[in-house]
Amino acid sequence: MTTTTLEEPVRKAPPGTAAREPRRPGRLRRVSLPYLLLLPALLLELLVHLIPMVIGIVMSFKELTQFYIRDWGTAPWSGLANYRMSVDFDAPVGEALLHSFFVTVGFTLLSVALCWLIGTAAAIYMQDTFRGRGLLRALFLIPYALPVYAAVITWVFMFQHDNGLVNHVLHDQLHLTDKPSFWLIGDNSFYALLTVSVWKGWPFAFLIVMAGLQNIPGELYEAAALDGAGIWQQIRRITLPSLRPVNQVLLLVLFLWTFNDFNTPYVLFGKSAPEAADLISVHIYQASFVTWNFGTGSAMSVLLLLFLLVVTGAYLLLTSRGRRAADV
Amino acid sequence: MSSTSPMARPRSFLWSRRIFLTLLTGFVLVPVYVMVSSSLKPLADVTGKFRWFPSGLTVRPYIDIWSTVPLARYFANSLIVAGAATLLSVLIAVFAAYAVSRYDFRGKRVFTVTVLSTQMFPGILFLLPLFLLYVNIGNATGIALFGSRGGLILTYLTFSLPFSIWMLIGYFDSVPRDLDEAALVDGCGPLGALLRIVVPAAIPGIVAVAVYAFMTAWGEVLFASVMTDDTTRTLAVGLQGYSTLYDVYWNQIMAASLVVSVPVVAGFLLLQRYLVAGLTAGAVK
């Protein structure tokens, strides 16, 4: 890579400034400097992300059970067997994976929508200066700043059947339920998970939208106000359209984080998630570490990655086309 | 700050704002209140029906947490791991972002796209391979990565690296190029220009990145639960040590949660200004 670039001028010098450069270090050094600067980042990405990813893909083609884990190289090749097992939706393994996939999609869409909605509304409402705004902003960021396990453990306590706050309020104080409900097992666990995820995630949307709002020139609002546009119209005609580029990135990031989230369900439910809240990353973790079937777990991970690649690619294609169309 | 001047707003807006922000404050603060109040309750208050107000206040849980599990050791491990990961991650991101922001070189696009796309990988995909890789490196070279703080530091610093590089590229781009050209004229090498001119001008962005890296390392659960042993266990896993006692010592669990949260939350709230400024200048532009 470096050898081919040796011939080319590499410094991105604005026209007319190149001559001013007094120090002319050795050509090799100049050319390789950006690569040297990138080297640590590159090596680490290779070590922790890219090489393991390749190993993971290789593993997905092997019959890797607990017998071979010490020396996984000797595990027999199994061709596509792991994949066939993962997507055989009539058999228990495939059926469970498909179920987990649908739960994750539903959960992710709801969580992202709510996080975005609450975060955007809060950021827009807090654009005006009012008394206590700084304090409120700090309070709103607490759920995001708290370490996941500390925050989620608190919710576990609140969702307890006998001594939790949620049942105390819903059953004892408001008499909304006939008897105390179970929140961390059974169907309710989906809503418990959604609540915690939104509680934890919306401040990030708030933070990003708040930053995005500061890049909207004030003149736009002044001009609109002169034209007689009220606050609601200003929000609809100026604020929301101006936020579009920010939202494009924000929604994608929220989607990927929520879809891949492991920490929240893992701390909320422990090692075995209830069926109604069986998110895909915990599902794969269980498939690999609880049943010690790492080959199948790897195949599932690869399928998950392919799905995310396709969704992300389609999303970027659609939004960039949409943006181009909007520009014309 | 381009906050619009508080000109006359219609009542509908003011009322909807009041209602919305009040409800939201309640939603945000109830768990925080539960955490704080329960940590000061005697045991009987957290084993029986939930009570909004403690029957009496006690600091006992704050004393007991240190002996129920070796919390001090977990704390030290987390500090070492998160601190080292943050320092290294910021340093490496500064160099990488400077190269991308100031130089044209072959493979630049490939580099940025690859680094950013690692953000998308499900952690579960490389958890097991990484575990195997660390074990094998250990067997081959004697460098203990698995079960050690070093392995965890390496892992965590790459978690925050993509976001950090991405944000700092945007930030460095906003530092006028003339400034480092001038430094080069004055006889600084490229590294001198980076350290004396670009870095000081980008301090808010760098602080923001550091905050993010520290929070990422401090809060991670999945890799910590697989890659640590008794002596290197971090808070993320250590706190679950109380879980065998779940229905008994909730006041201690809340006290421990509060204790481990205070450093990050305090740091975050102190530095959040920088984070917003950094995001405004870098990421969302």
Side-chain angles (χ1 to χ4, degrees):
Chain A
M1 232 158 137
T2 28
T3 47
T4 47
T5 40
L6 277 178
E7 318 307 327
E8 297 165 14
V10 277
R11 271 199 52 91
K12 193 201 271 178
T17 49
R20 285 191 315 184
E21 207 177 305
R23 272 175 57 158
R24 295 215 145 255
R27 186 159 213 182
L28 184 74
R29 210 189 125 212
R30 257 190 325 127
V31 173
S32 54
L33 185 65
Y35 292 107
L36 278 179
L37 290 171
L38 287 179
L39 197 63
L42 215 54
L43 283 179
L44 282 163
E45 288 296 332
L46 270 177
L47 175 76
V48 180
H49 284 122
L50 298 175
I51 294 177
M53 195 180 77
V54 173
I55 299 179
I57 293 172
V58 171
M59 277 165 49
S60 69
F61 293 103
K62 291 201 156 208
E63 190 192 321
L64 197 59
T65 52
Q66 72 265 43
F67 306 113
Y68 300 104
I69 199 64
R70 275 177 188 284
D71 192 6
W72 69 282
T74 61
W77 293 96
S78 62
L80 290 172
N82 288 320
Y83 289 93
R84 236 175 267 133
M85 193 158 132
S86 304
V87 296
D88 181 2
F89 301 133
D90 295 325
V93 174
E95 198 192 346
L97 183 67
L98 191 65
H99 174 262
S100 163
F101 174 76
F102 284 133
V103 168
T104 313
V105 171
F107 162 77
T108 306
L109 292 180
L110 280 174
S111 174
V112 170
L114 286 170
C115 285
W116 179 80
L117 208 65
I118 298 176
T120 305
I124 290 177
Y125 274 134
M126 289 174 67
Q127 244 187 317
D128 289 346
T129 37
F130 54 85
R131 209 149 44 101
R133 187 178 74 141
L135 176 71
L136 213 52
R137 184 164 91 167
L139 290 180
F140 283 173
L141 292 173
I142 289 178
Y144 178 67
L146 279 173
V148 186
Y149 44 88
V152 180
I153 282 181
T154 308
W155 279 98
V156 173
F157 178 43
M158 289 166 63
F159 281 129
Q160 289 297 299
H161 183 260
D162 298 325
N163 53 349
L165 170 140
V166 176
N167 275 344
H168 180 64
V169 170
L170 294 183
H171 180 71
D172 303 343
Q173 296 191 312
L174 299 175
H175 306 292
L176 291 174
T177 51
D178 298 335
K179 52 180 195 285
S181 330
F182 286 97
W183 291 101
L184 299 177
I185 50 175
D187 289 346
N188 286 336
S189 55
F190 182 82
Y191 302 103
L193 180 62
L194 187 63
T195 308
V196 179
S197 168
V198 171
W199 184 82
K200 191 95 192 71
W202 79 268
F204 179 73
F206 172 62
L207 201 62
I208 298 290
V209 174
M210 211 159 49
L213 287 176
Q214 297 192 0
N215 283 335
I216 304 177
E219 300 93 71
L220 282 182
Y221 292 109
E222 282 155 30
L226 283 179
D227 287 348
I231 177 74
W232 296 113
Q233 274 181 317
Q234 289 179 23
I235 291 172
R236 215 179 51 222
R237 301 233 185 103
I238 298 169
T239 314
L240 292 178
S242 309
L243 283 176
R244 189 173 296 160
V246 175
N247 280 333
Q248 277 173 6
V249 180
L250 173 64
L251 287 175
L252 182 65
V253 170
L254 277 177
F255 173 82
L256 290 172
W257 280 352
T258 315
F259 205 96
N260 289 329
D261 190 14
F262 177 88
N263 297 339
T264 310
Y266 184 74
V267 181
L268 197 58
F269 303 120
K271 284 202 165 96
S272 62
E275 212 175 306
D278 187 17
L279 293 195
I280 196 114
S281 45
V282 180
H283 185 86
I284 296 176
Y285 178 85
Q286 259 179 296
S288 322
F289 281 91
V290 178
T291 65
W292 292 94
N293 197 338
F294 294 108
T296 315
S298 303
M300 290 175 179
S301 307
V302 173
L303 291 174
L304 172 61
L305 180 67
L306 285 178
F307 170 76
L308 293 176
L309 276 174
V310 169
V311 170
T312 308
Y315 179 85
L316 290 177
L317 212 67
L318 281 176
T319 51
S320 67
R321 195 173 291 164
R323 197 191 281 196
R324 234 174 281 138
D327 286 345
V328 173
Chain B
M1 290 275 212
S2 78
S3 18
T4 17
S5 55
M7 52 181 112
R9 299 292 189 204
R11 276 170 163 259
S12 64
F13 180 79
L14 293 177
W15 271 106
S16 69
R17 178 169 79 188
R18 221 163 278 163
I19 294 168
F20 178 82
L21 291 181
T22 308
L23 288 176
L24 192 58
T25 309
F27 179 52
V28 165
L29 284 190
V30 163
V32 178
Y33 172 77
V34 168
M35 193 193 274
V36 176
S37 65
S38 304
S39 74
L40 294 166
K41 283 177 182 172
L43 189 57
D45 280 14
V46 289
T47 46
K49 276 240 168 292
F50 179 84
R51 11 181 350 139
W52 282 98
F53 303 103
S55 62
L57 292 178
T58 168
V59 291
R60 191 80 218 161
Y62 285 92
I63 299 163
D64 292 339
I65 48 172
W66 305 96
S67 50
T68 310
V69 302
L71 192 65
R73 190 169 71 213
Y74 301 152
F75 217 102
N77 283 336
S78 274
L79 268 182
I80 294 169
V81 169
T86 303
L87 265 180
L88 291 170
S89 167
V90 168
L91 198 68
I92 293 170
V94 163
F95 285 139
Y98 183 67
V100 174
S101 166
R102 291 300 196 263
Y103 291 91
D104 260 332
F105 54 90
R106 198 160 287 191
K108 176 161 143 174
R109 241 191 100 69
V110 176
F111 172 80
T112 43
V113 170
T114 313
V115 166
L116 269 184
S117 61
T118 60
Q119 208 52 336
M120 175 165 95
F121 292 176
I124 193 79
L125 171 67
F126 54 94
L127 170 67
L128 183 73
L130 189 65
F131 158 80
L132 290 175
L133 192 66
Y134 280 2
V135 171
N136 282 326
I137 290 179
N139 290 343
T141 64
I143 304 171
L145 288 175
F146 174 69
S148 73
R149 296 185 201 96
L152 214 52
I153 292 170
L154 278 187
T155 314
Y156 285 169
L157 80 90
T158 59
F159 286 0
S160 46
L161 213 46
F163 178 80
S164 305
I165 294 176
W166 181 51
M167 189 149 143
L168 285 180
I169 291 173
Y171 218 95
F172 287 175
D173 280 348
S174 72
V175 176
R177 228 163 269 269
D178 300 351
L179 287 181
D180 30 328
E181 296 293 339
L184 289 170
V185 172
D186 289 346
C188 289
L191 284 182
L194 167 65
L195 295 178
R196 280 189 226 157
I197 305 295
V198 182
V199 166
I203 284 293
I206 291 173
V207 173
V209 161
V211 172
Y212 174 79
F214 193 85
M215 282 171 48
T216 305
W218 192 262
E220 207 279 336
V221 180
L222 174 60
F223 285 73
S225 66
V226 176
M227 299 238 198
T228 55
D229 57 28
D230 272 348
T231 55
T232 54
R233 192 142 297 161
T234 56
L235 288 169
V237 194
L239 225 60
Q240 288 170 41
Y242 296 95
S243 72
T244 47
L245 321 155
Y246 253 0
D247 30 30
V248 191
Y249 295 129
W250 275 110
N251 51 352
Q252 282 191 45
I253 299 176
M254 292 298 104
S257 300
L258 199 72
V259 168
V260 307
S261 302
V262 163
V264 266
V265 174
F268 182 83
L269 294 184
L270 279 176
L271 301 172
Q272 47 119 345
R273 242 163 234 296
Y274 289 106
L275 194 66
V276 175
L279 286 168
T280 310
V284 302
K285 221 171 35 186

